[in-house]
Amino acid sequence: VGFDDMEWWRGKSKAPGRSWAMEITPDGKMSLYAAGLRSPAGQGLVDGKYFYAENQGDWVGSGYMTILNKGDFIGHPAGLVWADKPGSPVLARTEDIYKRVDPRFNQGRIQDDDPKRPYKTLFEVAKEVPGMKTPSVWLPHSVMGTSTSSLIQIPNDDKFGPFGGQVLIGDQGQSRLNRVFLEQIKGDYQGAAFTFREGFESGVLRLEWGNDGSLFVGQTNRGWGSKGQKDFGLERVVWSQKTPFEMKAVRAMPDGFEIEFTKPVNKTAAADPDAYTLTSFIYKYHPVYGSDVVREQTLIADAAIVSADGLKVRLVVDGLRENYIHEINVGDKVTSADSSHNVLHPIAYYTLKHIPDGEKLNVPKRKAKAAGHDHSMMMGSTTAAPAKTAPAANTSAGLKKNQVDKPASWTTIDQTIVVGTSPGLKFDKPELTVKAGSKVKLTFSNTDDMPHNFVVVPAGQAIAVGELAMKMGLAGVKLDHIPNTPKVLFNTKLVGPGSSQTIYFVAPTTPGKYTYVCTVPGHFYVMQGTLIVGK
């Protein structure tokens, strides 16, 4: 999509074919193929079928990959302005979407700030709109990345380990590769996403196989910032010929899931249903940028049945929901047969578009645990919540870190500051100066096309706080990507495109340099400024 000066946060299709996939024949004829794309950064063939990868944004709750057939409408309504043109195979029309979901035109800056505002999900709208489809596999935002990029299928030639036929998909913001297992249920593609490899030197953008079976990874941060700090990079991934202990695949079953491992498991440990934590959730379908996780439910594993060879575990799960994402966490209790290894990447995200037909196992139902699901333990993190230690500087306790109302005791404000954003993950002011102990009113105005926050931390702590925010997993968006740590001195909430928030704080009483940072995953590596506290 494109953007302009009128409601610049809203993606638009201002030229024929914008926000569409186009089909070009060998003799050079081009025609409309499918609509609803927002910001595709990757496409490719999987078993000879056309898939593409999408990024979070307006009308797109999170990144995903999906098969795209001729005539499909995948969700972003901008391109539907061309759907009635000659040669269009798409049946959906703009009014099909806008009569079901309020586009919120002429309301000024829009964001998801009213918990009572009614909403629908993508799959609920898709059930009513002809030709509208939902993603094959969601890639949960912040957890599996922030900027979905290229996808490529792993050849079935054993040159790249035990994952032949599966799909690798890059992420630019978090400098990583994810892995996707696909299966067809009731004629539709769905499957599971896993972390594959992290730590690339820049943002992963393009993937290509070498003649020797290794994978070349082309990288850039192109001004957007990435976890890998280099401006660009080219690295090669080679299989070490050592098979890691991983979840090789997760398959949907009539009453749960079957997990296949790359190596046999410890049968006693893997047969304990309490070793598995399961949660289902989904995203809103609305014109706001991205979405919180919604309708989250903790599920119960009633049984865990290990195959004779120890390579598979069938989980009988109570409460499966079609069209929801199911997080399956094997934690650290499931180990290899000799108990020497934990699962390298213990979390899978299965997009359950359809529950397969078939016989269900007759097992007794178990009661739910008293404790709820803890998303602070996601992404394989076993780090406890940070201990509450004394802050690095006296910030005149008594105010909230996100103090949005002027304190009643304040008769005057010593300093008023307005700070905004600039393109390329930047604040519009690289440096701010305040007097130690002064009363400050600060307004953060987000003129970018993606959400940001404004967080003040001690000097040298921006990356550490950002990495804590990244470990918050699914809870990150709900909590504005603000981790519970004394290193956060004061902050705004997550401010959507075209929106702003004003906060009040007392400047640190210790003079020196502090850092303000956007702690959104991927942003915090580069989106920083310096707060100078003078005497």
Side-chain angles (χ1 to χ4, degrees):
V1 296
F3 301 88
D4 59 23
D5 292 336
M6 299 293 293
E7 292 193 315
W8 50 263
W9 56 85
R10 190 186 302 274
K12 303 176 181 70
S13 178
K14 300 180 71 65
R18 191 85 181 247
S19 187
W20 284 70
M22 309 297 289
E23 182 177 29
I24 304 175
T25 63
D27 59 357
K29 294 180 180 179
M30 185 167 67
S31 60
L32 298 171
Y33 180 81
L37 291 73
R38 181 190 181 273
S39 183
Q43 60 180 342
L45 298 179
V46 178
D47 294 333
K49 297 177 180 177
Y50 177 55
F51 281 74
Y52 99 101
E54 184 61 276
N55 280 273
Q56 183 196 59
D58 56 320
W59 299 98
V60 185
S62 182
Y64 60 76
M65 66 168 288
T66 192
I67 188 171
L68 204 59
N69 296 314
K70 191 166 187 174
D72 284 343
F73 169 62
I74 193 59
H76 197 289
L80 292 180
V81 296
W82 315 108
D84 60 353
K85 302 303 179 185
S88 166
V90 172
L91 299 177
R93 297 292 183 264
T94 303
E95 57 269 23
D96 291 331
I97 305 303
Y98 290 171
K99 73 181 182 182
R100 291 173 171 85
V101 181
D102 182 4
R104 298 177 65 181
F105 288 122
N106 303 315
Q107 295 183 17
R109 301 164 176 173
I110 61 172
Q111 56 184 330
D112 191 16
D113 54 0
D114 181 1
K116 295 182 180 180
R117 182 184 297 277
Y119 70 88
K120 292 185 177 181
T121 64
L122 181 62
F123 74 81
E124 288 168 334
V125 177
K127 288 178 180 178
E128 302 176 357
V129 176
M132 188 174 182
K133 71 183 305 177
T134 60
S136 300
V137 176
W138 288 97
L139 301 165
H141 192 78
S142 298
V143 180
M144 298 295 289
T146 55
S147 301
T148 311
S149 59
S150 289
L151 61 90
I152 195 167
Q153 188 171 23
I154 302 173
N156 277 306
D157 56 11
D158 297 325
K159 291 183 179 179
F160 205 72
F163 306 113
Q166 298 189 23
V167 179
L168 295 176
I169 185 165
D171 187 83
Q172 189 271 337
Q174 290 190 4
S175 303
R176 64 188 282 163
L177 283 174
N178 294 315
R179 173 172 58 90
V180 172
F181 166 80
L182 290 168
E183 61 178 346
Q184 289 191 69
I185 303 294
K186 299 181 180 179
D188 207 354
Y189 277 95
Q190 59 187 49
F194 315 82
T195 297
F196 182 73
R197 186 72 168 82
E198 299 179 272
F200 289 93
E201 61 187 3
S202 188
V204 174
L205 195 65
R206 293 290 176 254
L207 308 173
E208 190 64 53
W209 292 110
N211 293 333
D212 61 352
S214 63
L215 181 69
F216 286 88
V217 183
Q219 304 158 55
T220 179
N221 64 24
R222 63 188 182 97
W224 286 93
S226 60
K227 184 175 181 180
Q229 292 293 283
K230 290 189 176 181
D231 290 339
F232 54 86
L234 178 63
E235 293 179 282
R236 190 163 67 110
V237 181
V238 181
W239 182 36
S240 66
Q241 303 298 315
K242 296 179 181 179
T243 299
F245 181 47
E246 288 272 37
M247 286 186 280
K248 181 178 180 179
V250 175
R251 298 177 178 88
M253 304 298 286
D255 52 6
F257 299 98
E258 178 189 78
I259 305 174
E260 180 181 1
F261 294 88
T262 56
K263 294 181 178 181
V265 297
N266 180 305
K267 292 183 178 181
T268 301
D272 180 6
D274 287 334
Y276 308 88
T277 304
L278 298 101
T279 306
S280 61
F281 61 94
I282 196 60
Y283 298 103
K284 296 179 182 180
Y285 177 58
H286 59 181
V288 179
Y289 193 106
S291 168
D292 288 348
V293 166
V294 294
R295 303 181 189 174
E296 189 175 0
Q297 287 187 9
T298 299
L299 308 180
I300 305 301
D302 290 324
I305 302 166
V306 184
S307 63
D309 60 7
L311 288 173
K312 296 179 180 179
V313 176
R314 181 164 176 176
L315 288 181
V316 180
V317 180
D318 195 25
L320 296 178
R321 295 189 288 175
E322 285 191 329
N323 292 301
Y324 283 76
I325 306 160
H326 289 66
E327 178 196 78
I328 304 164
N329 189 342
V330 303
D332 57 3
K333 294 181 180 179
V334 176
T335 64
S336 56
D338 61 1
S339 300
S340 62
H341 291 89
N342 297 114
V343 178
L344 182 60
H345 297 107
I347 302 175
Y349 292 93
Y350 192 101
T351 301
L352 189 64
K353 299 184 70 171
H354 305 284
I355 297 174
D357 297 328
E359 182 180 356
K360 297 181 179 181
L361 299 182
N362 184 17
V363 300
K365 294 187 181 297
R366 303 171 70 240
K367 292 184 179 180
K369 296 179 182 179
H373 184 57
D374 181 7
H375 280 302
S376 69
M377 304 304 289
M378 291 176 56
M379 299 180 68
S381 170
T382 56
T383 304
K388 292 187 176 181
T389 58
N394 182 355
T395 56
S396 295
L399 302 185
K400 299 176 182 178
K401 293 183 179 182
N402 179 234
Q403 179 75 38
V404 296
D405 297 318
K406 178 183 174 183
S409 62
W410 286 20
T411 56
T412 60
I413 293 174
D414 299 322
Q415 191 168 352
T416 298
I417 298 173
V418 177
V419 61
T421 58
S422 293
L425 296 181
K426 297 177 182 178
F427 292 106
D428 66 352
K429 295 181 175 67
E431 188 175 280
L432 300 172
T433 301
V434 296
K435 186 177 180 180
S438 61
K439 299 172 183 175
V440 180
K441 174 185 177 182
L442 182 143
T443 298
F444 174 53
S445 181
N446 182 9
T447 54
D448 203 356
D449 62 355
M450 65 184 72
H452 297 293
N453 59 26
F454 179 94
V455 182
V456 177
V457 300
Q461 296 300 316
I463 300 298
V465 171
E467 289 180 342
L468 286 175
M470 198 154 62
K471 290 181 179 180
M472 295 169 71
L474 295 179
V477 176
K478 288 184 178 180
L479 298 175
D480 299 311
H481 299 297
I482 308 294
N484 179 21
T485 170
K487 293 178 181 178
V488 173
L489 305 183
F490 21 84
N491 62 272
T492 69
K493 67 176 184 178
L494 192 64
V495 177
S499 299
S500 64
Q501 187 182 50
T502 297
I503 60 172
Y504 299 84
F505 62 88
V506 175
T509 56
T510 303
K513 291 184 178 181
Y514 298 77
T515 301
Y516 50 93
V517 57
C518 172
T519 58
V520 171
H523 297 193
F524 58 85
Y525 294 105
V526 294
M527 194 169 178
Q528 300 181 24
T530 301
L531 177 68
I532 299 174
V533 177
K535 295 182 180 179

